[in-house]
Amino acid sequence: MSLPVEKNKTYEMIVDALGSNGEGIGRIEGFTIFVEGALPEETIKVLILKTKKSYGYGKLLEIISPSPYRVEPLCPVAKTCGGCQLQHFSYEGQLAYKAKKVKDDLERIGGLKNVDGLTACGMEDPWRYRNKAKFPVGMGKDEGVKIGFYAKRSHRIIDTPVCYLQDPVNDEITAIVRAFMNEFQISAYDEEGHKGLVRHILTRVGRNSGEIMVCIVINGRRLPHSEVLVERLQQILGVVSVVLNINKEQTNVILGKKVVTLWGKETIEDTLGGITFEISPLSFYQVNPAQTEVLYNKAVEMAGLKGNETVLDLYCGIGTISLFFAKKAKKVFGVEIVPEAIADARRNAERNGITNVSFQVGAAEEVIPRLFREQGIRADVIVVDPPRKGCDQTLLDTITSINPDKLVYVSCNPATLARDVARLCEKGFEVKDVQVVDQFPMTVHVETVVLMSRVDK
Ligand code: SAH
């Protein structure tokens, strides 16, 4: 059967949607084409690069009529860098897109009707919001060390002297490391040959504390002339910790297990909602603290806590949500699969003097059904904050059997959220409230919080 489009030919097309990677989607005689860089409502000229049975990929050749939301990206490497996907889309447009994505998924996958009036809660200033940066380091052909981000769909490093999503101090830190490596001829890691020393620079900035940590990830045990680097980094206001992370494995995983302190503190601190968290290079911590507070406050508000509730926080990580809820509930019990995260959670509870929380290591879908079977565990409020793949179905079924007054579902993936909502609706729950909170401006990531409870409540 012949397709309506042919490879290497150009066509005119109207873009009508944005795909999950930020690419424009349109149809040519009913045949779906994905085009990077194109926006909904645009008429474009497209060159067909590749065709499959029911869809194809095209290259944006010309914008015949631009979207009213099209803007010039702030960053000069926005087109090639894999970090951001939506800089060419105005922030207003991004928020509208994210709200629509959640609406569409909840209606199409979740089976809900008329999810109207959704808006995404955005940032007043959607730039420079991240508190953690991970810069890969590599060798350029002639131009010396490259520090930046990977290009889209590849591990080619785009040298990025400035990143507008990161704290400005990163521009200073990467400049110092770049100059240091060039001056002392320190080699950068080469992934293909598994040779060379410096792999990544990881930085963490405590937004409220002002404390900064610089971590150099190396494929070796020591960094020559590290005392010079430390001395230079010390000049930056706020730097209180310079550490090495040893990663000698041939792997895409950025961090190894071993951390060596070169100078200063082993961890930095930051506060979120008045709670102090201790952060090491290895610990998980939300990357957009301002919006995390907005998100968790929304979750607390939805739960409508009065002070006498028992709360389950499933997929609790380092206990951020647990500690937020503990201030307003009688008792919180958190479950998380990563033992180190639970160790952090317990330490964070202790250092903040929060005693009405307890944590358990394990898979939520094993721990909770077992506790329900064996001890008849109950809860007034259950919070879930699963990874992208969503909740395990056995867990959802146990949640409906526990029958909490309220279920607060925090999600980083609207598609799996919608799938799980459909399952919960089958079991007699209904959606009472939906809020989209933009945690990741300029990227396609969407964060949603949903309140559910039993239909008859
Ligand atoms: N609520 C936390 C972290 C959410 S991220 C916060 O806001 O900081 C999702 C967490 O789920 C991760 O910490 C991950 O390690 C954990 N996780 C993944 N699969 C799990 C499972 N089957 N059971 C319990 N936790 C799991």
Side-chain angles (χ1 to χ4, degrees):
M1 198 184 78
S2 79
L3 300 174
V5 296
E6 237 177 273
K7 203 175 141 181
N8 295 329
K9 286 212 165 151
T10 60
Y11 298 84
E12 221 179 271
M13 179 180 101
I14 296 173
V15 180
D16 45 37
L18 211 54
S20 50
N21 296 314
E23 70 282 39
I25 306 176
R27 270 160 204 87
I28 298 171
E29 291 176 40
F31 191 78
T32 303
I33 306 286
F34 295 91
V35 187
E36 207 170 284
L39 290 174
E41 297 178 60
E42 294 189 324
T43 305
I44 59 170
K45 194 182 269 178
V46 58
L47 171 73
I48 303 300
L49 298 173
K50 193 169 165 184
T51 54
K52 302 258 188 182
K53 236 194 208 153
S54 57
Y55 61 90
Y57 296 94
K59 183 178 175 196
L60 178 62
L61 289 184
E62 189 191 329
I63 301 165
I64 298 165
S65 85
S67 153
Y69 292 121
R70 180 169 284 280
V71 291
E72 198 51 46
L74 192 58
C75 174
V77 296
K79 260 195 187 136
T80 40
C81 177
C84 299
Q85 303 85 36
L86 299 178
Q87 276 206 27
H88 56 300
F89 202 15
S90 73
Y91 192 48
E92 193 192 345
Q94 293 178 26
L95 292 176
Y97 155 71
K98 291 184 185 190
K100 182 169 182 308
K101 166 100 182 104
V102 173
K103 172 186 160 68
D104 289 351
D105 284 352
L106 284 176
E107 290 179 351
R108 196 171 45 84
I109 307 169
L112 302 187
K113 294 205 172 65
N114 308 324
V115 182
D116 294 327
L118 263 194
T119 54
C121 171
M123 297 187 81
E124 219 164 274
D125 175 9
W127 301 100
R128 301 278 193 190
Y129 60 85
R130 286 183 59 97
N131 60 8
K132 173 167 108 175
K134 293 174 282 190
F135 302 100
V137 181
M139 227 55 198
K141 278 213 181 72
D142 317 305
E143 66 276 34
V145 171
K146 282 185 170 187
I147 300 176
F149 292 98
Y150 292 127
K152 292 191 169 98
R153 292 178 300 278
S154 100
H155 269 205
R156 185 169 57 82
I157 298 171
I158 311 255
D159 209 25
T160 321
V162 176
C163 172
Y164 295 101
L165 298 198
Q166 305 294 348
D167 191 285
V169 78
N170 284 289
D171 308 338
E172 269 178 87
I173 293 170
T174 52
I176 286 176
V177 179
R178 192 183 277 111
F180 165 78
M181 287 180 67
N182 284 332
E183 185 179 332
F184 291 97
Q185 309 248 306
I186 309 276
S187 62
Y189 182 64
D190 162 28
E191 271 185 341
E192 271 163 36
H194 187 47
K195 284 202 196 82
L197 190 61
V198 178
R199 300 174 75 130
H200 272 84
I201 303 167
L202 179 113
T203 68
R204 306 194 85 148
V205 180
R207 277 298 164 104
N208 294 314
S209 67
E211 293 188 339
I212 298 163
M213 167 183 278
V214 181
C215 170
I216 314 284
V217 185
I218 56 171
N219 169 40
R221 277 194 312 203
R222 53 180 294 276
L223 176 68
H225 309 285
S226 61
E227 68 291 348
V228 179
L229 180 64
V230 166
E231 200 190 308
R232 292 178 187 173
L233 290 171
Q234 280 172 345
Q235 309 305 316
I236 299 177
L237 188 69
V239 172
V240 294
S241 167
V242 182
V243 303
L244 290 179
N245 175 273
I246 315 293
N247 184 0
K248 295 201 273 187
E249 303 291 316
Q250 194 158 8
T251 167
N252 276 342
V253 177
I254 295 176
L255 291 169
K257 288 206 163 61
K258 191 164 182 219
V259 180
V260 180
T261 306
L262 289 177
W263 172 77
K265 309 204 313 178
E266 281 171 26
T267 57
I268 61 164
E269 278 182 12
D270 200 22
T271 55
L272 208 56
I275 302 163
T276 306
F277 290 90
E278 197 176 283
I279 309 160
S280 84
L282 299 176
S283 50
F284 173 85
Y285 187 63
Q286 295 284 350
V287 297
N288 183 341
Q291 289 298 88
T292 299
E293 276 191 23
V294 172
L295 181 75
Y296 292 172
N297 285 333
K298 191 72 208 167
V300 170
E301 186 192 315
M302 283 182 176
L305 300 174
K306 300 209 166 54
N308 52 358
E309 295 87 354
T310 300
V311 179
L312 298 184
D313 176 15
L314 309 180
Y315 308 88
C316 71
I318 58 162
T320 337
I321 295 181
S322 307
L323 299 183
F324 255 71
F325 274 62
K327 293 199 284 186
K328 301 236 163 97
K330 187 164 145 214
K331 172 103 196 74
V332 182
F333 176 59
V335 180
E336 155 68 42
I337 205 163
V338 175
E340 290 83 2
I342 288 292
D344 283 345
R346 290 187 177 130
R347 229 190 5 261
N348 288 328
E350 201 178 296
R351 77 174 287 151
N352 287 283
I354 299 175
T355 51
N356 59 337
V357 291
S358 58
F359 297 100
Q360 187 163 332
V361 180
E365 65 275 17
E366 285 168 17
V367 173
I368 297 303
R370 195 179 62 236
L371 290 177
F372 183 64
R373 236 181 8 252
E374 293 172 3
Q375 299 172 22
I377 189 176
R378 49 165 297 280
D380 304 294
V381 174
I382 298 182
V383 185
V384 294
D385 183 8
R388 288 190 62 76
K389 68 174 187 197
C391 291
D392 188 277
Q393 299 299 302
T394 350
L395 175 66
L396 294 178
D397 293 349
T398 310
I399 287 175
T400 58
S401 305
I402 294 176
N403 198 15
D405 290 338
K406 288 180 172 145
L407 170 63
V408 180
Y409 193 135
V410 181
S411 156
C412 57
N413 183 350
T416 54
L417 166 71
R419 178 201 67 199
D420 293 350
V421 161
R423 177 80 172 201
L424 291 158
C425 288
E426 270 172 33
K427 299 263 172 178
F429 274 62
E430 69 182 355
V431 171
K432 300 275 172 153
D433 197 0
V434 182
Q435 180 66 57
V436 182
V437 178
D438 189 23
Q439 294 261 61
F440 307 103
M442 311 302 145
T443 79
V444 288
H445 298 289
V446 185
E447 198 83 16
T448 315
V449 50
V450 169
L451 173 66
M452 296 185 79
S453 60
R454 200 162 272 288
V455 174
D456 43 34
K457 275 200 176 133

